[in-house]
Amino acid sequence: MRNEEYSGWEDVRAEALRRIQSRAWAPGALIPSEEEFARELSCARTTVNRALRSLAEEGLLIRKRRAGTRVAELPQRAAKLNISLVAEEIRARGASPSHLCILQDSRPLPSHIAAAMSLPVAAPLIYVETLHLADARPFAFETRFINPQSVPAAREADFASVSANEWLLRHAPFNHGTLDYSARPAEAEAAEALGCAPQTPTLVLDRVTHGPEAAITWVRMAYAPDYHLTMKL
Amino acid sequence: MRNEEYSGWEDVRAEALRRIQSRAWAPGALIPSEEEFARELSCARTTVNRALRSLAEEGLLIRKRRAGTRVAELPQRAAKLNISLVAEEIRARGASPSHLCILQDSRPLPSHIAAAMSLPVAAPLIYVETLHLADARPFAFETRFINPQSVPAAREADFASVSANEWLLRHAPFNHGTLDYSARPAEAEAAEALGCAPQTPTLVLDRVTHGPEAAITWVRMAYAPDYHLTMKL
DNA sequence: TGAATTGATATGTATGCACAAATAAGAAGT
DNA sequence: ACTTCTTATTTGTGCATACATATCAATTCA
């Protein structure tokens, strides 16, 4: 360990970050090559590589073979959104989660949802309505279609004890999916469940998740009017 | 290269992912140690480490020293949200971005915003109202406070040509910040700018960004009623 | 019995080396 | 001028090795 200060890749990363934020390395400018920087900090090139790769993954650096590494002109940092489980989200807010399975049956798919799921309208899907509560206060009203072709076991599932949300994550983890947030006036059913006036603006999340072959589920979460979706940047 | 199939860490990663998704490695179960797995695939432990680390970063694996690596019980994948620049967002939707700087002055900070920015109410901040357009149609109405303490150059800036959004990203990149989405009835001014009826539900984003010392800016974006925030999962 | 120590084990990381891959820039040929 | 080929440079990755670090588990000691 020749240099006490830059022994690990996280130290190298921190030093590079310092130079970026202090503008010692200007936006758009070429920074020293891995080899040079390694020599300067008396560490191995591998270590520098690890550090710079980490910064590149966060969008602060742009790296190209032969062309070198540049500081991103418009450092855009991505916010991470992790809301796969409503119950977790409620717990994270310091409240105690619970849910009521209001209704569970089987019905044909409305055409606009069929399109979102890339499924034919023909076969009926499992339909579930759930009210999520935080400390016994309405938190979100969930309407969901489940494709039994993708998850046969869902026919026999009982979503009163375990929410459909969690049940599906455990039994049919998805490969990919899409999220869609919008602001919409509360529909009659949702308004009643959430205890607010109809037409009250609510934040609505539509989520479709897909398994290896076909869509697993479509879900719409209508959040209570005071809901805020917050993220760190 | 003894084994054609598992030469690189991405191949190792793919194989591990296959075993997770096929449930050959059950949720919650311990998977082989790096050494074992490396032996099985005839590659170096470093390579396996790289692959498994990548899966762990995505939340599919839980790794602990001495305790080994387990498949996450509830594989939760995070959606990435990248909306630092309105203009980019509009372009990504296939439209042509433009903006109108409606008003630019200096005024005292409302107390609830002061709280969000962790600033005293006393000193007046720069205030800017902007309408963002996509193909000449209203896209979002922006109200913004800028802290001249953090960005002195903002006093002389002209936000008619370059939007405050982009100007700030170029001149005062932030260290961290918070995002807050909610659904709110359109306020009179926003409704007029967006060309919709007052009280129409709109998706509203409140964003605070901080520099190394103090807050840089607070901005509220009220999106047009047909706006959808979409992400991949 | 219970707390502290010790050892074993899996992951985390640093290093030197080699080679692969991408590509910018220059050289050569038309 | 224009295309094609070559070369050099930079990042990307693999491997063997060594040691660091966290932590589970057994053992020792009070």
Side-chain angles (χ1 to χ4, degrees):
Chain A
M1 205 191 296
R2 265 172 288 186
N3 188 326
E4 273 301 333
E5 312 195 74
Y6 304 113
S7 39
W9 70 269
E10 298 203 69
D11 301 313
V12 175
R13 191 199 125 99
E15 173 60 15
L17 186 58
R18 198 188 60 72
R19 296 192 189 187
I20 293 167
Q21 291 187 339
S22 73
R23 308 232 160 188
W25 290 343
L30 209 56
I31 75 167
S33 78
E34 295 185 348
E35 213 170 29
E36 275 179 88
F37 199 36
R39 220 179 307 123
E40 184 190 340
L41 303 184
S42 331
C43 68
R45 183 172 77 89
T46 337
T47 308
V48 171
N49 181 286
R50 180 84 164 80
L52 298 187
R53 192 207 318 147
S54 153
L55 290 169
E57 274 165 7
E58 286 174 39
L60 276 83
L61 294 176
I62 314 284
R63 322 193 71 204
K64 265 166 66 185
R65 288 177 176 171
R66 158 81 211 203
T69 302
R70 293 176 177 281
V71 179
E73 297 258 7
L74 292 163
Q76 47 185 349
R77 278 161 56 178
K80 272 187 197 164
L81 180 55
N82 209 327
I83 37 72
S84 17
L85 273 175
V86 195
E88 279 310 311
E89 194 183 4
I90 293 172
R91 239 188 294 273
R93 285 160 196 261
S96 168
S98 59
H99 73 277
L100 288 173
C101 186
I102 295 172
L103 121 73
Q104 176 171 355
D105 61 16
S106 183
R107 59 175 72 175
L109 206 48
S111 61
H112 69 282
I113 300 179
M117 292 179 83
S118 324
L119 284 179
V121 186
L125 299 210
I126 300 164
Y127 176 74
V128 188
E129 282 186 4
T130 310
L131 178 63
H132 294 274
L133 304 153
D135 283 342
R137 287 165 46 86
F139 181 80
F141 178 69
E142 170 186 318
T143 51
R144 180 188 292 268
F145 284 92
I146 302 170
N147 179 7
Q149 301 270 302
S150 288
V151 208
R155 289 185 205 277
E156 285 81 43
D158 170 26
F159 301 128
S161 50
V162 184
S163 75
N165 195 326
E166 185 169 342
W167 189 93
L168 280 170
L169 259 187
R170 286 191 190 278
H171 292 75
F174 57 85
N175 283 354
H176 64 278
T178 56
L179 300 182
D180 179 319
Y181 282 97
S182 54
R184 312 170 73 93
E187 288 171 23
E189 265 185 306
E192 195 195 323
L194 294 173
C196 66
Q199 308 302 316
T200 306
T202 57
L203 190 63
V204 169
L205 163 61
D206 289 348
R207 177 170 52 197
V208 184
T209 53
H210 296 263
E213 283 125 38
I216 295 174
T217 189
W218 175 95
V219 57
R220 165 167 291 181
M221 302 276 307
Y223 292 94
D226 63 346
Y227 177 82
H228 286 244
L229 174 68
T230 63
M231 283 170 280
K232 287 187 178 167
L233 193 63
Chain B
M1 205 191 299
R2 264 172 288 185
N3 190 327
E4 272 301 333
E5 312 195 74
Y6 304 114
S7 37
W9 70 270
E10 298 202 68
D11 301 313
V12 174
R13 190 199 126 99
E15 172 61 14
L17 186 58
R18 197 188 61 71
R19 295 192 191 188
I20 294 167
Q21 291 188 338
S22 73
R23 308 236 161 183
W25 289 345
L30 210 57
I31 76 168
S33 78
E34 295 185 346
E35 212 170 32
E36 275 179 88
F37 199 36
R39 221 179 305 124
E40 186 190 339
L41 303 185
S42 331
C43 67
R45 182 171 79 87
T46 348
T47 308
V48 171
N49 182 286
R50 180 82 162 83
L52 298 187
R53 193 205 322 144
S54 154
L55 290 169
E57 274 166 7
E58 286 175 39
L60 275 81
L61 294 175
I62 315 283
R63 320 194 72 203
K64 265 164 66 183
R65 290 179 177 173
R66 157 78 209 200
T69 302
R70 295 179 176 278
V71 180
E73 298 258 8
L74 293 164
Q76 47 185 353
R77 279 159 55 177
K80 272 187 196 166
L81 180 55
N82 210 325
I83 35 74
S84 17
L85 273 175
V86 197
E88 281 309 311
E89 195 184 1
I90 293 172
R91 239 187 295 273
R93 287 160 195 261
S96 170
S98 59
H99 73 277
L100 288 171
C101 186
I102 296 172
L103 116 75
Q104 176 171 355
D105 61 15
S106 184
R107 58 175 71 174
L109 207 48
S111 62
H112 70 282
I113 299 179
M117 292 179 82
S118 325
L119 285 179
V121 187
L125 301 209
I126 300 164
Y127 176 74
V128 188
E129 281 185 7
T130 310
L131 178 64
H132 295 274
L133 304 152
D135 283 342
R137 289 165 45 86
F139 181 80
F141 178 69
E142 170 186 319
T143 50
R144 179 189 295 267
F145 284 93
I146 302 171
N147 180 6
Q149 300 272 303
S150 288
V151 206
R155 289 186 205 275
E156 284 81 42
D158 170 26
F159 300 130
S161 49
V162 183
S163 75
N165 194 329
E166 184 170 343
W167 189 92
L168 280 169
L169 260 186
R170 287 192 188 277
H171 291 77
F174 57 87
N175 283 353
H176 63 279
T178 56
L179 300 181
D180 179 320
Y181 282 97
S182 55
R184 311 173 74 94
E187 288 170 25
E189 263 185 308
E192 195 195 326
L194 294 173
C196 65
Q199 309 301 317
T200 306
T202 57
L203 190 63
V204 169
L205 163 61
D206 288 348
R207 178 171 51 199
V208 184
T209 53
H210 297 264
E213 283 125 40
I216 295 174
T217 187
W218 175 95
V219 57
R220 165 166 291 181
M221 302 276 307
Y223 292 95
D226 63 346
Y227 177 81
H228 286 245
L229 173 67
T230 62
M231 283 170 278
K232 285 186 181 169
L233 193 62

